[in-house]
């Protein structure tokens, strides 16, 4: 029994050391790491000098933040690493997290040469894919449930016979307002905006703008009913908030 307790205590101390080491490494790499933020040791960063993380944020197991300055730049070059410290003040930011942002297990956030800005208290559920090609803005207190796909980019249809890999892309950007609830398994397409206080039901595909304080469901998402003027949803349809519970 004493041996088991000793092993448990040693494992806990090892975990504390790993967390302290991860925080120190992050503070050296990132453009900014706010006070009180938690970064799981398995979290991965691409182009960390272009990532700014506010205070009291939580990045759970398996999260990836890649702030590459262009679609093809997935790995930081040696020259960029050497110049990072000197150019930190002038470096542009590809991913910016406000205060209290929560990103849950195995979600993938990639700027793809654009910018991603998640405002204060934004929550992103498990296994989400979020891009910043044409720019992504998410307002305060917005919650995005798991398995959601948000990519501000569209491949332009071209003439028959031209491979899709050779066709150009259009990047118009996506704007999501404050206090929005996006249910599990949604797809948000390029060029749309979602107004403050809107609810997007689970599994919806948003192809056009959604007005503020409305409920939108279906494929493609259509406005089903208008909410009252307060901030509390009266009918969340098929959405489910359970996948936003804190974890390790």
């Amino acid at each position: 029994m004493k041996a088991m307790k000793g092993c448990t205590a040693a494992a806990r101390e090892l975990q504390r050391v790993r967390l302290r080491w991860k925080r120190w490494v992050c503070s050296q790499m990132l453009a900014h790491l706010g006070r009180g933020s938690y970064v799981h040791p398995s979290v991965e960063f691409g182009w960390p000098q272009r990532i700014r993380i506010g205070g009291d944020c939580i990045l759970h197991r398996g999260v990836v933040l890649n702030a590459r300055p262009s679609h093809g730049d997935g790995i930081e070059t040696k020259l960029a690493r050497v110049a990072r410290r000197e150019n930190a003040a002038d470096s542009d930011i590809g991913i910016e997290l406000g205060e209290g942002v929560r990103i849950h297990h195995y979600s993938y956030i990639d700027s793809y040469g654009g910018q991603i800005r998640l405002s204060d208290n934004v929550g992103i559920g498990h296994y989400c894919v979020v891009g910043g090609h044409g720019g992504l803005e998410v307002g305060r207190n917005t919650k995005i449930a798991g398995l959601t796909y948000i990519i501000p980019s569209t491949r332009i249809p071209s003439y028959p016979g031209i491979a899709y890999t050779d066709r150009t892309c259009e990047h118009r950007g996506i704007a999501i307002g404050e206090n929005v609830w996006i249910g599990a398994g949604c797809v948000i397409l390029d060029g749309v905006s979602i107004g403050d206080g809107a609810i997007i039901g689970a599994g919806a595909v948003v192809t056009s703008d959604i007005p503020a304080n409305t409920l939108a469901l279906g494929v493609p998402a259509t406005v089903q009913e208008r909410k009252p003027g307060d901030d509390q949803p009266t009918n969340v349809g098929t959405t489910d908030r359970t996948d936003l519970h804190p974890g390790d």
Side-chain angles (χ1 to χ4, degrees), residues 3 37 82 128 181 231 236:
S37 290
V82 171
C128 290
W181 169 251
D231 292 334
V236 296

Side-chain angles (χ1 to χ4, degrees), residues 25-33 44-53 65-69 74-77 80-81 84 88 91-95:
V25 170
C26 290
S27 68
Q28 299 301 303
M29 294 191 306
L30 299 171
H32 176 74
L33 178 63
E44 297 183 15
F45 297 105
W47 289 82
Q49 76 278 9
R50 303 185 74 241
I51 298 174
R52 186 181 298 275
I53 298 176
L65 300 183
N66 188 1
R68 53 178 137 177
I75 302 176
E76 182 182 15
T77 64
R81 259 196 318 272
R84 173 168 57 83
S91 176
D92 57 332
I93 300 299
I95 298 175

